[in-house]
Amino acid sequence: INSENMHCEDSLNIINSSGKINNLNISNSNSDSLDIDFSDISINNLKVTNSGNDCADFSSGKYSILNFYAVNCKDKGISIGEGTKLVIEKVFVENSKIGLAIKDSSIAKISELEIKDSNMCFALYRKKQEFGPSKLSVNKLNCLENTFNFIQNGSVFIND
């Protein structure tokens, strides 16, 4: 799947779906590049460049990604929320406000996480009162600048 120069709210929005995507490339989005809700999706290679908001937004589902690459995300490289379970092998995010945001009872397991030239590597928090804290487990973390992470009370970060 390829998407370029989209001016709508989400360049690609997948809802209530299940399946596998081999290669997904999105570039030059006016707002969010990828938004997936209420789904069970596996992606081998996800590449997002130049997003006007979040590069990838996952909500209320189960997702797995082998390789995620995002550059120039105006807000978040990856945003997950509303009870999402996300497993990723390799993540590279460059030039975003927040590399990875996990909120509202979501759980992320990442083997290799590299964040470069971003204001914040990751944030774990509760945004909506009907949800609880979040959890991030990372085997290998490489944040290449002197940034901070935000971990709201109750949320859990594990670096194996």
Side-chain angles (χ1 to χ4, degrees):
I1 300 173
N2 295 301
S3 174
E4 273 187 81
N5 304 316
M6 298 298 286
H7 299 285
C8 42
E9 183 179 343
D10 303 317
S11 287
L12 177 62
N13 191 342
I14 299 172
I15 302 170
N16 281 332
S17 299
S18 63
K20 296 181 180 184
I21 300 170
N22 192 32
N23 294 301
L24 177 52
N25 300 296
I26 302 173
S27 61
N28 305 318
S29 300
N30 198 42
S31 192
D32 285 352
S33 291
L34 174 65
D35 190 350
I36 306 180
D37 305 301
F38 309 105
S39 297
D40 185 346
I41 303 284
S42 295
I43 303 170
N44 284 339
N45 300 294
L46 173 56
K47 181 180 180 182
V48 181
T49 56
N50 304 319
S51 181
N53 197 38
D54 296 341
C55 277
D57 187 349
F58 301 92
S59 296
S60 300
K62 184 178 173 185
Y63 310 100
S64 65
I65 302 170
L66 286 179
N67 298 297
F68 179 85
Y69 175 89
V71 175
N72 297 328
C73 312
K74 197 98 168 177
D75 193 11
K76 299 171 199 79
I78 303 173
S79 176
I80 73 169
E82 299 179 356
T84 293
K85 292 182 180 165
L86 176 67
V87 176
I88 307 178
E89 285 298 313
K90 292 183 182 180
V91 175
F92 176 82
V93 176
E94 182 176 6
N95 193 25
S96 66
K97 283 186 183 175
I98 301 173
L100 172 66
I102 304 168
K103 52 195 178 294
D104 298 332
S105 303
S106 296
I107 299 169
K109 294 181 181 180
I110 301 173
S111 295
E112 295 180 33
L113 176 61
E114 182 175 348
I115 309 292
K116 184 178 179 183
D117 298 327
S118 297
N119 297 338
M120 184 183 301
C121 287
F122 62 83
L124 301 164
Y125 57 99
R126 183 178 132 192
K127 183 177 177 182
K128 299 178 180 177
Q129 71 179 29
E130 63 267 28
F131 292 98
S134 298
K135 181 178 178 181
L136 170 62
S137 175
V138 177
N139 290 342
K140 183 179 175 185
L141 175 63
N142 188 2
C143 191
L144 299 177
E145 63 282 319
N146 293 324
T147 62
F148 66 97
N149 300 311
F150 176 73
I151 303 172
Q152 189 177 48
N153 192 24
S155 290
V156 177
F157 171 64
I158 299 169
N159 190 353
D160 296 336

